[in-house]
């Protein structure tokens, strides 16, 4: 009966069986040390038997083995325990040598090598760790929203028209008809507010992003939520706060080894995240920095960074909501600020210098949708299925979206989103 | 401060505020009853005020309203409570009339009408209920697997070659190159056994299914799992059992109203689900029925139904594993039965007459993959990224897949999988 490497210490003096990958073999004069890696960590195996020493000398690292032996306390061994008098059985063919040494604590390969050889390189504990944080994050997201009465939905990833932005969509042959990969579940999640009031979805979205940057992917995992019966965007921001707090708490609880290995500094999520209006943020930047961004329709990356530093100084928070972005830069379904209709009831959540979440209140009256589309010179026809929801009665609502890979990149300090994506898809990369 | 319809009874004598859709308006001689529907259910509002009675007479059903009034006990009212002396505020434009009456207990529309008008028809409690069961099922699946040490992954839905089956794939323009929608996460989940040992994924899969049947969709939600260090397929079957038990338990716990409304008979999941070998199943059918399927490479639908009835009679179980399907009908990565290599270490889980889960042990030696592909006359070249995992050392492993919409259809007794899919995609349907 196999036990995990982390359980060996509980069985000192007993015969135990572990199984995993031959992480490292080191031959000394009289004995050979073999380190076996499984999903829980590493355990040292000590071979003194001449025949086994010889076999171990011939077995390539990454070969899969099962080892039965005696769990023996040894303060010198990693974890204070090792397996002695081992009997070893190979479970795979002898393994091909990885493109870099998986057993070294640091990753000596560059990103393209890591991605080209993901099947083996992601076995490196440092390269695997972001995905443990990713899994914990999603679990925390779902747990927080389920606790708030949200229902999980699954919506189509293939749609009939290239709506919303028009550009950057992937075109598809759908039984001889043109179709497109969905850029977001936006229309569907709004529609489903009419059915469930509060919905969330975790799923892939597709952007035919022609730029090759460290922050963009052609497929990523979007964490989407939408809720009805809001007063305005601030009700949505309260849910964002709880979702992000749930994600951070889940990382701490479910992925402590990854947090430690990557030295992740998990942020405090304030009970109420500080917020600043877009116009006030511009005033602040004009007053406190050398630049005057007033009149610009959006914040520059440098301004987002400055505002994040300001939020830490002023509010002791690594998170900052910027609200009220100008309507001009937001999609047609955005709800204006009733008091100042050139600004919107929208927000971005900034974290450590970058935008992490985008959201806001949406229009909910059918007549407002027709007017908004007309104002942009767009026909309502391609939006028929979406507009039907509003024609049939929809409450004031809003929602948000958070890119999972970007969230994990921010948490782990990764300099490229591809470090936090299992098999990235982009302009150049369609394999493995 | 809004409360839900289900909470009104806790506030008898107090002023309460509810909000939702105007489900039904009934004008009697002296008073008008308005039933408001929210995500928790229905609540009756009694209007006696002449002006309000007039307004209610003009408001179409499905208009979104907010109602403030006194929670008043009334044994005659649904739930024993109603809202009196109401003040009503409209939250949406007056609603367009739905294609059928949402307020009637039975659904009077046919499936195409329901699907064409999903934005409003799914608000019917009977049509919404399957999706509450769906959300609970997925939550139970994840909970069971997380409890067993599985890590959630997210894999590419766009791939570079049309592998696995070759047919039935959707072709895509990927920045000017040919690409294909992924038919399953099979190759990726196997590869990730090399990294995490135990993985699962909940995500869309795409089949360019040219047949228009009640059981097939072009996009569905696949619940996939894969685990390493198995002895054979029976270790996988034990995980299937726990996953399905977790799903059924979660339905009971998280969607009791939907279960009651649809009169779902939740099955018992035995601690060990009975199993029968494919060859023994054929013998049994030959002996006990008028047909002799021996020599056939697969079970006919009628045989699956007969075997399910047999499992209920013989084992008191609505679930039955059929194991050891002939290798000829299984994909190239299937592990043969070492004792009888014409049979495979695979299984189907049958439930109420239909296949619910397919799974099995996979090949894990690189040399076996090369041999299996050669035997089928296939080049290893398009599989390079996948085969790399085995070249670098993979443990014995296996896994399974379960279609969410089909699972919910089986649980709810739906006669068409489209009743359990929010926005189905098929040969004909690409909207809404």
């Amino acid at each position: 009966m196999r036990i995990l490497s982390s359980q060996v210490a509980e069985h000192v003096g007993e015969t135990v069986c572990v199984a995993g990958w031959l992480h490292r073999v080191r031959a000394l004069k009289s004995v050979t040390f073999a380190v076996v890696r499984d999903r829980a960590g590493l355990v040292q195996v000590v071979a003194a038997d001449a025949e086994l020493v010889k076999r171990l000398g011939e077995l390539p690292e990454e070969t899969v083995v099962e080892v039965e032996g005696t769990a023996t306390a040894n303060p010198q061994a990693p974890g204070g325990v090792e397996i002695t008098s081992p009997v070893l059985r190979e479970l795979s063919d002898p393994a091909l040598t990885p493109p870099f040494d998986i057993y070294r604590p640091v990753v000596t390969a560059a990103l393209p090598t890591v991605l080209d050889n993901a099947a083996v390189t992601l076995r490196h504990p440092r390269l695997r760790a972001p995905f443990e944080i990713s899994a914990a994050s999603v679990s925390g997201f779902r747990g927080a929203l389920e606790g708030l009465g949200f229902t999980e939905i699954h919506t189509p990833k293939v749609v009939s028209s290239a709506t919303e932005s028009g550009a950057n969509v992937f075109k598809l042959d759908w039984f001889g008809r043109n179709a497109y990969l969905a850029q977001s579940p936006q229309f569907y999640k709004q529609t489903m507010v009419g059915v469930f009031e509060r919905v969330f979805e975790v799923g892939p979205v597709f952007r035919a992003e022609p730029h090759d940057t460290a922050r963009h992917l052609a497929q990523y995992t979007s964490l989407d939520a939408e809720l009805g019966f809001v007063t305005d965007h601030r009700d949505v921001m309260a849910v964002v706060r709880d979702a992000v707090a749930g994600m951070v708490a889940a990382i701490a609880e479910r992925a402590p080894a990854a947090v430690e290995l990557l030295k992740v500094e998990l942020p405090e999520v304030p009970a109420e995240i500080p917020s600043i209006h877009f116009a006030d943020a511009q005033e602040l930047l004009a007053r406190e920095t050398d630049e005057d961004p007033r009149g610009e329709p959006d914040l520059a990356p440098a301004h987002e960074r400055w505002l994040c530093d300001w939020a830490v100084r002023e509010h002791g928070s690594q998170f900052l909501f910027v609200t009220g972005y100008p309507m001009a830069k937001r999609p047609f379904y955005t709800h204006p600020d009733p008091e100042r209709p050139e600004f919107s009831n929208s927000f971005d959540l900034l974290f450590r210098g970058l935008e992490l979440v985008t959201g806001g209140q949406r229009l909910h009256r059918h007549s407002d949708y027709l007017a908004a589309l007309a104002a942009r010179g767009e026909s309502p026809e391609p939006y028929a299925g979406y507009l039907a929801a509003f024609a049939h009665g929809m409450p004031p609502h809003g929602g948000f979206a958070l890119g999972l890979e970007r969230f994990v990149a921010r948490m782990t300090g990764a300099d490229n989103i591809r470090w936090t994506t299992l098999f990235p898809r982009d302009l150049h990369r369609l394999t493995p």
Side-chain angles (χ1 to χ4, degrees), chain A:
Chain A
M1 175 75 170
R2 177 197 186 208
I3 63 169
L4 293 174
S5 58
S6 57
Q7 298 169 317
V8 173
E10 302 158 23
H11 295 273
V12 167
E14 299 170 31
T15 297
V16 295
C17 178
V18 299
W21 289 261
L22 211 47
H23 190 60
R24 179 63 168 140
V25 177
R26 273 190 312 135
L28 302 190
K29 232 177 286 176
S30 52
V31 294
T32 288
F33 292 107
V35 177
V36 173
R37 184 186 75 242
D38 64 16
R39 72 177 188 271
L42 306 173
V43 62
Q44 178 166 290
V45 175
V46 188
D49 171 79
E51 197 251 343
L52 181 57
V53 163
K54 181 164 176 291
R55 266 175 74 207
L56 278 172
E58 287 159 4
L59 271 188
E61 275 137 2
E62 292 307 307
T63 302
V64 184
V65 296
E66 188 179 78
V67 178
E68 203 173 283
T70 308
T72 304
N74 176 3
Q76 253 74 63
V81 69
E82 62 192 10
I83 296 176
T84 55
S85 311
V87 176
L88 182 139
R89 190 162 73 93
E90 297 160 45
L91 297 180
S92 75
D93 290 344
L96 192 67
T97 304
F100 74 102
D101 292 331
I102 301 293
Y103 63 82
R104 290 192 199 279
V106 293
V107 175
T108 55
L111 182 58
T113 303
V114 168
L115 299 180
D116 288 342
N117 302 280
V120 59
T121 56
L122 296 180
R123 297 179 190 174
H124 191 288
R126 292 190 70 87
L127 297 181
R128 183 183 64 199
F131 302 102
E132 293 165 4
I133 288 172
S134 172
S137 302
V138 179
S139 187
F141 176 81
R142 290 198 193 95
L145 292 181
E146 287 178 350
L148 292 170
F150 282 72
T151 300
E152 183 172 8
I153 58 172
H154 305 278
T155 67
K157 302 308 159 202
V158 180
V159 294
S160 64
S161 51
T163 50
E164 196 166 351
S165 88
N168 295 0
V169 292
F170 289 109
K171 199 170 152 186
L172 195 72
D173 173 12
W174 186 267
F175 300 112
R177 294 153 70 186
N178 281 340
Y180 306 89
L181 288 185
Q183 292 178 292
S184 90
Q186 180 66 33
F187 294 175
Y188 291 107
K189 69 176 178 171
Q190 282 186 258
T191 301
M192 286 302 99
V193 166
V195 176
F196 304 103
E197 291 188 20
R198 305 182 146 212
V199 295
F200 73 90
E201 179 164 17
V202 174
V205 298
F206 305 90
R207 310 275 167 107
E209 178 63 60
H211 306 295
D212 198 8
T213 83
R215 285 173 61 186
H216 293 94
L217 293 170
Q219 176 189 325
Y220 68 88
T221 303
S222 184
L223 312 190
D224 270 272
E226 197 79 12
L227 62 150
F229 300 99
V230 300
T231 302
D232 57 28
H233 56 296
R234 286 169 297 184
D235 290 333
V236 182
M237 287 157 60
V239 174
V240 169
R241 186 268 156 204
D242 287 352
V244 170
M247 294 171 79
V248 172
I251 295 170
E253 193 189 315
R254 304 172 75 111
V259 167
E260 199 189 317
L261 183 62
L262 299 181
K263 297 190 172 49
V264 173
E265 285 183 44
L266 288 175
E268 288 281 323
V269 186
E272 186 167 354
I273 293 175
S275 79
I276 185 169
H277 192 279
F278 179 84
D280 298 333
Q282 287 193 325
E283 292 289 342
L284 184 66
L285 286 158
R287 202 165 58 237
E288 306 264 336
T289 73
D290 294 341
E291 294 179 71
D292 188 350
R294 286 174 298 185
E296 297 290 328
D298 207 348
L299 294 173
H303 297 151
E304 295 186 342
R305 286 194 293 274
W306 189 91
L307 287 167
C308 282
D309 290 342
W310 171 82
V312 170
R313 286 198 309 274
E314 207 66 23
H315 298 285
S317 170
Q318 294 194 54
F319 296 94
L320 175 69
F321 278 120
V322 178
T323 64
Y325 285 83
M327 282 295 284
K329 291 291 279 186
R330 293 272 160 163
F332 71 89
Y333 48 77
T334 306
H335 199 292
D337 179 348
E339 308 287 315
R340 293 192 283 179
E342 70 276 25
F343 294 108
S344 66
N345 274 358
S346 71
F347 60 83
D348 276 6
L349 177 63
L350 307 185
F351 172 66
R352 294 183 182 164
L354 280 177
E355 170 229 313
L356 197 63
V357 180
T358 295
Q361 185 184 359
R362 330 296 190 184
L363 299 174
H364 63 280
R365 293 180 188 276
H366 188 245
S367 49
D368 288 342
Y369 275 90
L370 296 182
L373 286 168
R376 300 201 181 208
E378 282 206 63
S379 157
E381 207 272 318
Y383 301 94
Y386 172 55
L387 296 179
F390 307 102
H392 286 292
M394 279 284 281
H397 65 284
F400 64 92
L402 182 163
L404 175 61
E405 295 82 356
R406 186 181 288 194
F407 177 86
V408 178
R410 283 290 88 197
M411 283 296 151
T412 58
D415 62 6
N416 192 312
I417 199 169
R418 288 161 186 78
W419 293 111
T420 61
T421 309
L422 276 184
F423 296 93
R425 290 292 181 259
D426 61 31
L427 187 55
H428 305 295
R429 193 169 284 279
L430 194 50
T431 56

